[in-house]
């Protein structure tokens, strides 16, 4: 019985260590993506949960927010291209470009969610955010319709995980 209990405790300890490592890695990744995109860890965490339920990857969604920010900076009129698509979604590209990335993304997502005609919605999303954005329409709809979403990882947890991972790298 003693040996079996010891083995069980060792296996449980190993499983716990593995879980802690995976959780720290996920939080660290979110913190680094937040730095790259200008979107908070909480928003990325919540959006990542939605993307995952839709069979998508958080890294790709983060790339979409970066692409959105670049496109917003390049728009110079609302009579063609992305500017016109945003106008047809009821949005002002100048106002979006002045917003933090997460607010602009959520504003676009709300407008996408409010567009009933799916063909029109697809065309507007592609024109506003690029051809790759069409695969995120379901995720944009969910984010736009959800309002406040709950994050599974906070900025503080992401910072702690980043520090932990950096410390491990220094030890090796």
């Amino acid at each position: 019985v003693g040996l079996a209990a010891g083995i069980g405790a060792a296996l449980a300890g190993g499983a716990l260590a593995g879980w802690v490592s995976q959780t720290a890695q996920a939080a660290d990744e979110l913190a680094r993506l937040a730095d790259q995109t200008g979107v908070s860890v909480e928003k990325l965490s919540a959006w990542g949960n939605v993307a995952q339920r839709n069979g998508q990857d958080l890294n790709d969604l983060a790339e979409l927010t970066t692409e959105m920010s670049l496109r917003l900076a390049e728009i110079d009129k609302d009579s063609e291209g992305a500017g016109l698509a945003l106008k047809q979604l009821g949005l002002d590209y100048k106002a979006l470009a002045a917003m933090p990335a997460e607010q602009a993304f959520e504003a676009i997502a709300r407008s996408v969610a409010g567009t009933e005609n799916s063909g029109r919605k697809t065309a507007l999303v592609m024109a506003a955010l690029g051809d790759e954005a069409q695969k995120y329409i379901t995720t944009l709809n969910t984010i736009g319709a959800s309002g406040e979403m709950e994050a599974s990882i906070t900025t503080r947890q992401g910072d702690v995980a980043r520090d932990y991972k950096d410390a491990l790298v220094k030890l090796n």
Side-chain angles (χ1 to χ4, degrees), residues 116-127:
E116 296 295 323
N117 181 306
S118 63
R120 177 174 161 75
K121 182 184 302 198
T122 299
L124 291 174
V125 166
M126 289 173 63

Side-chain angles (χ1 to χ4, degrees), residues 31-86:
R32 293 183 195 282
L33 282 174
D35 290 343
Q36 291 170 8
T37 62
V39 176
S40 71
V41 169
E42 288 84 358
K43 289 294 181 184
L44 286 173
S45 174
W47 296 350
N49 291 338
V50 172
Q52 187 176 35
R53 284 194 303 270
N54 289 319
Q56 297 164 332
D57 182 67
L58 174 61
N59 289 311
D60 292 338
L61 189 61
E63 195 173 299
L64 180 64
T65 64
T66 301
E67 176 68 22
M68 173 208 65
S69 295
L70 293 172
R71 282 177 160 271
L72 288 174
E74 293 173 352
I75 299 172
D76 60 355
K77 54 187 164 186
D78 64 3
S79 59
E80 61 184 40
L84 179 59
L86 291 169

Side-chain angles (χ1 to χ4, degrees), residues 75-150:
I75 299 172
D76 60 355
K77 54 187 164 186
D78 64 3
S79 59
E80 61 184 40
L84 179 59
L86 291 169
K87 184 177 180 180
Q88 290 174 342
L89 283 167
L91 300 167
D92 177 348
Y93 75 90
K94 290 178 185 175
L96 289 171
M99 293 178 187
E102 68 186 55
Q103 289 177 6
F105 189 81
E106 287 182 328
I108 292 170
R110 281 190 300 275
S111 292
V112 167
T115 302
E116 296 295 323
N117 181 306
S118 63
R120 177 174 161 75
K121 182 184 302 198
T122 299
L124 291 174
V125 166
M126 289 173 63
L129 299 176
D131 292 345
E132 287 293 310
Q134 72 175 340
K135 66 183 177 185
Y136 294 101
I137 290 177
T138 302
T139 298
L140 286 166
N141 279 331
T142 304
I143 291 169
S146 296
E148 278 303 309
M149 296 183 299
E150 193 167 315

